[in-house]
Amino acid sequence: MATKLLPLCKLSRILRLPSSSSSSSSSFRKCSYLLEASVSLLDISSNVHQFHPPSFSRTFCSRPLDFNGDHSQGPATIDYSSLMQEGEFHRLADLTIQELQEKLEEYGDKLQIDGFDVDYGNEVLTLRLGNLGTYVLNKQTPNRQIWLSSPLSGPSRFDWDQNSQAWIYRRNKANLLSILETELAQICGEPIVFS
């Protein structure tokens, strides 16, 4: 205990508490105050190892997509333990992105848009429409999602829905391919069908 009080004595010299009188009783009160403070500090320091912060587990609940239900509930959280296997995710996402790339290249051949370009690299599909904007589609493996950045609708995150066999945005139940068909027809003035 003496070794633990030593730093407190140094602390008292650093603080140099103002003395109201030079009497020994005043000095005694200061020392007893420091002693009480040191005992409190010792109690705290001895209990530090007994303190266990609350453990936060990453548990999420996932609700199935309800196309006929209430749309105001917001996005469902993801139960990461129930996500599809990584290999299955890559197979589905790669198939979707490859098909989109092929259809977009064919679509670009029909259009007369300066700056139209389709590029795929590092698991990112980029569709440049010149002055009309740019679409970016990429895989997010940890979340098992496909993310879309659209010049019209902004960012969206799509999860694979087993029931509809499609990539669905949980927030508004929108289908990835339907969004692209609608927006590209609106921007480019030419319909496109992905499905």
Side-chain angles (χ1 to χ4, degrees), residues 157-176:
R157 299 174 180 194
F158 297 87
D159 297 284
W160 180 255
D161 181 58
Q162 192 64 37
N163 295 332
S164 63
Q165 293 289 298
W167 294 96
I168 303 295
Y169 185 34
R170 289 180 182 267
R171 182 166 292 171
N172 61 10
K173 315 296 191 271
N175 181 309
L176 170 65

Side-chain angles (χ1 to χ4, degrees), residues 29-54:
R29 275 182 272 163
K30 288 182 203 170
C31 288
S32 67
Y33 171 76
L34 287 174
L35 184 58
E36 288 174 18
S38 68
V39 169
S40 298
L41 287 173
L42 288 174
D43 288 341
I44 292 170
S45 67
S46 66
N47 290 331
V48 165
H49 298 290
Q50 296 172 359
F51 174 72
H52 299 289

Side-chain angles (χ1 to χ4, degrees), residues 40-86:
S40 298
L41 287 173
L42 288 174
D43 288 341
I44 292 170
S45 67
S46 66
N47 290 331
V48 165
H49 298 290
Q50 296 172 359
F51 174 72
H52 299 289
S55 62
F56 298 103
S57 63
R58 292 186 64 171
T59 56
F60 301 91
C61 67
S62 180
R63 61 179 181 261
L65 295 174
D66 178 14
F67 290 101
N68 299 322
D70 180 19
H71 297 293
S72 65
Q73 292 180 356
T77 54
I78 298 169
D79 179 2
Y80 287 99
S81 65
S82 69
L83 288 174
M84 72 173 73
Q85 294 297 314
E86 186 173 334

Side-chain angles (χ1 to χ4, degrees), residues 1-15:
M1 181 155 169
T3 58
K4 292 184 179 181
L5 290 177
L6 182 61
L8 293 173
C9 292
K10 289 181 182 177
L11 179 64
S12 67
R13 276 187 247 134
I14 293 170
L15 292 176

Side-chain angles (χ1 to χ4, degrees), residues 111-178:
L111 299 175
Q112 300 298 318
I113 295 178
D114 289 335
F116 185 96
D117 182 50
V118 179
D119 181 50
Y120 182 70
N122 296 324
E123 299 186 340
V124 177
L125 177 65
T126 306
L127 171 62
R128 291 179 189 83
L129 301 172
N131 301 2
L132 303 174
T134 300
Y135 283 86
V136 178
L137 205 82
N138 65 313
K139 297 186 334 184
Q140 291 294 318
T141 304
N143 300 342
R144 308 297 195 266
Q145 293 177 327
I146 291 180
W147 288 8
L148 171 70
S149 174
S150 160
L152 289 183
S153 58
S156 305
R157 299 174 180 194
F158 297 87
D159 297 284
W160 180 255
D161 181 58
Q162 192 64 37
N163 295 332
S164 63
Q165 293 289 298
W167 294 96
I168 303 295
Y169 185 34
R170 289 180 182 267
R171 182 166 292 171
N172 61 10
K173 315 296 191 271
N175 181 309
L176 170 65
L177 300 180
S178 297

